[in-house]
Amino acid sequence: MASESSSRVFGFVGLGNMGIHMAFNLSSYAQAQQLPKTALCQQKQGAIYVDHSTLFPTTTETLQEEARQNGVHFLSCPVFGPPAVAKSAGLLIAVSGDSAVREVVKEYLVPALGKGVLDCGDKTSKGALLKILGNNCILGTIELLSESFALAEKTGFDANLFYKFIQQWFPAPAWVNYGKKIRDGAFSGKTGFTLPGGMKDASYIRRLGAETSTPTPIIDLAWNHLTTAKAIGGEGLDWSACSAGMRVTAGLSPFKGEDFTLKKDETASNGSTVANSA
């Protein structure tokens, strides 16, 4: 977006599960405010580039420096919330980068895209760090829920009653939403955050841990279960399919309801190929 208020123009790149809703909300807000129609901005002096993806902190620092060298601005503004929350403009948005342009962008982030902003300061790496720390908590929650529901099933405890306990005792969005997905085995990647994206974020957490000599045992377990879920056919699923990996290690069927495992004919074909090559 251009920083001059009289000729501010918006652009949005990346129309995935999240971006398509964010772009629509931004366009609707711009039209309501009678701003120029949404368009792809050209790189020009004073342009502000706002990144909502999850990047490693040092990557955002590199992009911020490159932007300065080219006379433009770069902000790291990762978001928290699933596609349904993006659609309702209810995201929580971390904002980091040069102070002057942070203030320019804040007035559009809320209410156009989100319900709240967390200002992380001038260094874009801080916004990226908050996103990774937040995802550490979310993925850790998924791992714990996966373990708990598997244990409930193995001991014969009613999964629905256990979910009611979660709703009443842990009424946070991550617990309630992912608890329902794991209870039902509903891992559609069309309405959630895909497993490969979750593995990328998990790798960032583990990398930060390695670089700072900080153990990340919960995420290490989650990584193994995500890898298992991917190997048995869950690559296109929501990252809560991590539960399938946990279920396998507990001796349970990986998926409930719809079977997302590799097709039998495909597995047989692969096995046949291996046998012939041997």
Side-chain angles (χ1 to χ4, degrees):
M1 64 183 76
S3 59
E4 297 83 359
S5 58
S6 60
S7 59
R8 197 157 289 150
V9 178
F10 294 85
F12 204 100
V13 178
L15 301 180
N17 285 357
M18 296 287 289
I20 192 168
H21 300 304
M22 295 169 69
F24 177 81
N25 289 337
L26 181 60
S27 177
S28 298
Y29 178 82
Q31 290 179 36
Q33 298 297 315
Q34 297 184 335
L35 296 171
K37 292 183 178 180
T38 303
L40 184 63
C41 297
Q42 301 296 320
Q43 181 172 321
K44 61 180 181 180
Q45 295 293 311
I48 305 172
Y49 291 86
V50 183
D51 181 73
H52 293 296
S53 64
T54 304
L55 299 177
F56 200 71
T58 52
T59 301
T60 67
E61 291 175 345
T62 299
L63 291 172
Q64 185 178 29
E65 182 56 33
E66 289 182 355
R68 286 172 178 164
Q69 293 175 3
N70 286 278
V72 297
H73 306 280
F74 175 82
L75 296 180
S76 176
C77 301
V79 300
F80 292 95
V85 173
K87 185 176 182 178
S88 64
L91 298 168
L92 178 62
I93 308 172
V95 182
S96 59
D98 295 339
S99 59
V101 290
R102 283 206 316 275
E103 295 306 315
V104 170
V105 167
K106 280 183 185 178
E107 63 177 293
Y108 301 105
L109 295 179
V110 178
L113 300 181
K115 65 177 181 180
V117 167
L118 293 173
D119 194 322
C120 298
D122 292 344
K123 294 183 178 180
T124 53
S125 60
K126 299 302 182 183
L129 273 170
L130 177 58
K131 176 60 175 175
I132 293 173
L133 292 172
N135 282 355
N136 183 74
C137 295
I138 297 169
L139 183 53
T141 297
I142 291 172
E143 175 64 25
L144 182 56
L145 286 168
S146 300
E147 178 181 312
S148 299
F149 273 100
L151 185 59
E153 185 168 339
K154 291 291 293 273
T155 56
F157 193 82
D158 184 353
N160 291 321
L161 180 56
F162 180 57
Y163 181 65
K164 288 181 180 178
F165 160 75
I166 289 171
Q167 288 177 301
Q168 294 186 41
W169 199 249
F170 300 106
W175 283 81
V176 173
N177 295 336
Y178 287 117
K180 186 175 187 299
K181 287 176 182 285
I182 292 169
R183 180 199 65 180
D184 299 341
F187 304 126
S188 173
K190 296 180 180 179
T191 58
F193 183 51
T194 60
L195 193 146
M199 294 187 73
K200 181 211 51 164
D201 288 358
S203 72
Y204 286 170
I205 297 167
R206 299 175 84 201
R207 178 180 167 186
L208 277 177
E211 291 181 357
T212 59
S213 300
T214 305
T216 56
I218 297 174
I219 303 306
D220 291 341
L221 281 173
W223 173 267
N224 292 336
H225 293 148
L226 287 167
T227 301
T228 300
K230 179 181 178 181
I232 59 178
E235 184 168 6
L237 302 180
D238 182 81
W239 67 333
S240 56
C242 169
S243 172
M246 176 66 213
R247 290 175 62 83
V248 168
T249 62
L252 296 169
S253 174
F255 300 110
K256 294 188 288 186
E258 184 177 354
D259 186 2
F260 297 105
T261 53
L262 294 171
K263 295 179 181 178
K264 291 182 180 179
D265 56 346
E266 181 180 333
T267 305
S269 175
N270 290 340
S272 174
T273 301
V274 173
N276 291 336
S277 63

